[in-house]
Amino acid sequence: SQTIHQWPATLVQPVGSPLSLECTVEGTSNPNLYWYRQAAGRGLQLLFYSVGIGQISSEVPQNLSASRPQDRQFILSSKKLLLSDSGFYLCAWTSFNYGYTFGSGTRLTVV
Amino acid sequence: GIQVEQSPPDLILQEGANSTLRCNFSDSVNNLQWFHQNPWGQLINLFYIPSGTKQNGRLSATTVATERYSLLYISSSQTTDSGVYFCAPTPTGGFKTIFGAGTRLFVKA
């Protein structure tokens, strides 16, 4: 069966520090992968999506970047965090005719 | 891009009551999902329903794609149903799913 792993669950980082969040999928190949952010406990904003290795589309210009070094690995990064980067980050995958499956999320607080 | 409107934004129910959540969307879609986000943040896929009606226990969903709306029906609500319910359509020809703002449900014991 397909599973998705996302870590860490919580993270507290100082302003200006780097960020790396990792997401891996098991049990499927060539999935579409997504990073979403949720602020204030409501509403999900699509940040990045990827339809294949090395293929990244950005939805919102911001302080973050994404990479997909392997088929089932999706990484969200920042060189220097801002206070406004705080939020709940969710990774998700889909494949043909199969709906979204979300990871358990990372709650990031930038202090 | 597609606009997604969910109603009501907030809902308080007494345990055992029934409710209907609505999702309106502005463009044609090739699929639509309903999610429940529990108090710990986990998003659970309830239904994958581009059209028609599906039922799963006390929950059912109906999507009328031609009229651009979907309904989520919760019967005999339980306290564990509390959380936020999201509607998420994917526009026709695309694979980016857009989430509504959600309906926040609180079920009182």
Side-chain angles (χ1 to χ4, degrees), chain B residues 20-89:
Chain B
T20 301
L21 282 57
R22 186 175 181 100
C23 172
N24 293 330
F25 43 93
S26 61
D27 293 327
S28 63
V29 300
N30 57 22
N31 68 60
L32 184 141
Q33 293 180 253
W34 282 95
F35 294 89
H36 174 227
Q37 186 171 37
N38 64 26
W40 298 271
Q42 181 69 51
L43 275 157
I44 305 299
N45 188 338
L46 298 175
F47 293 101
Y48 178 82
I49 182 167
S51 63
T53 298
K54 291 186 178 179
Q55 180 152 8
N56 184 2
R58 296 180 297 103
L59 303 180
S60 65
T62 295
T63 296
V64 184
T66 53
E67 297 186 22
R68 299 184 181 172
Y69 74 88
S70 183
L71 303 174
L72 178 68
Y73 183 72
I74 304 174
S75 65
S76 304
S77 58
Q78 301 176 357
T79 56
T80 52
D81 294 332
S82 297
V84 184
Y85 289 81
F86 290 103
C87 165

Side-chain angles (χ1 to χ4, degrees), chain A residues 34 36 38 41-42 49 100 104, chain B residues 9 33 37 95-97 101-102:
Chain A
Y34 306 82
Y36 282 86
Q38 186 177 33
R42 190 155 187 172
Y49 66 93
Y100 270 57
S104 54
Chain B
Q33 293 180 253
Q37 186 171 37
F95 47 82
K96 291 185 291 181
T97 293

Side-chain angles (χ1 to χ4, degrees), chain A residues 17-75:
Chain A
S17 64
L19 173 73
S20 181
L21 301 181
E22 188 165 342
C23 172
T24 59
V25 180
E26 294 179 0
T28 187
S29 59
N30 198 30
N32 294 333
L33 296 173
Y34 306 82
W35 279 110
Y36 282 86
R37 178 170 61 197
Q38 186 177 33
R42 190 155 187 172
L44 279 76
Q45 179 187 36
L46 178 61
L47 300 176
F48 300 96
Y49 66 93
S50 171
V51 299
I53 296 174
Q55 300 180 56
I56 307 294
S57 295
S58 173
E59 287 297 296
V60 182
Q62 56 203 324
N63 187 40
L64 302 171
S65 63
S67 62
R68 184 170 178 174
Q70 299 180 43
D71 181 45
R72 288 171 287 182
Q73 184 185 30
F74 205 22
I75 298 172

